[in-house]
Amino acid sequence: MMAVLGRARWAVTDGWVVGRANMINWRRNPGLIFYCMMFPIMTVVFGYVFGSAMSVAGGGDYREFLMPGLFGQAMMFGVVTSMLAVTSAVSRGVTDRFRSMPMAQSGVALGRSFADMFSSLIELTILLGCGLLVGWRWHEGPGKALAALGLLLLWRYSLIWVGIYLGLLLPPEAAGAAYVPLLPLTMLANTFVSPEKMPGWLGAIAEWNPLSSTVSACRELFGNPGVTGGSWVAEHAIELAVAWPVLLLVLFVPLSVRRYRTLSR
Amino acid sequence: MSGSAKAALVAEGLRKTYGSETALDGFDLVVPEGTVCALLGPNGAGKTTAVRILSTLLKPDGGRALVAGHDVTREAAEVRRNIGVTGQYPAVEEILTGRENLEMWGRLYHVGRREAQRRTEELLEQFDLTEAADKRLKHYSGGMRRRLDLAAGFFTVPKVLFLDEPTTGLDPRNRNEVWKMVRSMVEQGTTVLLTTQYLEEADRLADQISVIDAGRGVVEGTPETLKSLVGGDRIVVTLAGTADLAAAAAQVARFTGTEPEVDAEARRIDAPVRDRVGDLVEIVQMLRGQGHGVVDVSLRRPTLDDVFLHATNRAGRRKEPVG
Ligand SMILES: Nc1ncnc2c1ncn2[C@@H]1O[C@H](COP(=O)(O)OP(=O)(O)O)[C@@H](O)[C@H]1O
Ligand SMILES: [Mg+2]
């Protein structure tokens, strides 16, 4: 028991040391902030332009409907950020140095996840600012709004680990091309359109997309329009917005840690 | 190990294949404590693969290895506590300064923050990086990166230090710096296994050289043994025509007392010399006196090729190195 605790403590300490080094990136690379703002600004403009032309199932303002979708989508794109960071560290040999050291073997992955979580916080803050700027609001009080942000960050954290694993698994070129399959995955959900408005089978897939659960839960907690009941998945959005990420974490944390250990490129 | 010195490193029959490519094919090595061993071989010989297996980064498909008395596959964590590694390319964080890099690696050796800072200053001094300590890595030259990389590998004064081609790509001045630093590490009691493509480097640094090709040891011994195998400096004479090549070669043979290597296509005669300049002048004068047209003459030190040539008993030139 003590040994396990000791190991866990080192994993967190080492993760913090590695993560902090990665975070310095932000202070030294102010350009990174602008790079991170590109996506939110583009999507907000997109929402602004098309907002008036779209109607929401169950009524309501499209911009209010869209924002939680964009938040969820942006968090999902984090998979690529993590993949790129991981492949870059491997190709620079930095990962091998870590692996040849007597540090906690899970420390490298943990450090990566800490650093990426820090970037996510910055990114989400920018997104929220942009949303508020174009008139998006929360209506259910700060407590529920914070709960929604918590769900978004949990969603992101689970995807960071998916990204770490895929980054270690796939060749470096694949990481850069990951947007190609990812973009349709983020759209085949309730991000931009309610699944009810899609053809039957497509709607079913979109409803079961884990992203949809997080977005639905956020709409509910923020008090934004587009929360339509009916199916079992839609009824249990908040529970599923916790369950999906937890499931991903249970799968991908051990997979990633083991992958670091057996990495042999 | 039976006998005198304790071994810091033992490898027995290491094998590793990548798909159909055999990287290591029964590789053996014994390195006594406190010595420097150079793994000498051309590109693709299996040097990096051997180092990666010995430093726990790669699992062998067969054979076994002990480093600092611990099995590299079954006691990897123990091995890691006793080694330092620098890979073929410097592994440094670009975004950090030299000092931050060292402090980070130090913290990960679990020596505590204070000790990590103290040791960092010491290493910056020892590796001549104090002035550049607060510069970010992207402003470092190749030589400075390499030195920082070495310092990181040497953070805990490891029992065994692995250096994979520590001077490849460095200019002569930086190469000398690195050599100096390797020697100072050995003085502090560390056993070093380094890989190199250059006979000269192995000669300068190593107590023991192991020549590796196509994944297995070709020949092993002290630098003296290997040099006596290949002889000393050589002279290369290029003639104007091929017609009298055999005659000229015979004269050179009489002068040097050994049969020279003759490359008819390039019209070249390649022979060992004792007195570099004296022999050169005399051979050229002799050949010209006999009416041979000499278009080029040069002196060269023995290379890795010469070692192979002699180690494999001139059983045909080995295939050209890849990459
Ligand atoms: N990851 C890998 N995948 C496939 N082949 C590899 C890999 N690493 C090395 N090899 C092959 O194994 C052989 C030995 O490589 P290596 O150990 O890197 O040699 P060296 O370091 O002496 O240049 C080479 O033929 C190389 O092509
Ligand atoms: Mg190599």
Side-chain angles (χ1 to χ4, degrees), chain B residues 42-49 88-89 164-165 195 197:
Chain B
N43 230 329
K47 302 183 297 294
T48 297
T49 305
Q88 192 164 346
Y89 307 98
D164 196 2
E165 300 200 19
T195 76
Q197 299 193 36

Side-chain angles (χ1 to χ4, degrees), chain B residues 16-37:
Chain B
K16 179 75 194 175
T17 52
Y18 296 102
S20 63
E21 182 88 33
T22 302
L24 280 186
D25 189 14
F27 175 74
D28 302 312
L29 187 68
V30 177
V31 182
E33 263 180 12
T35 65
V36 180
C37 173

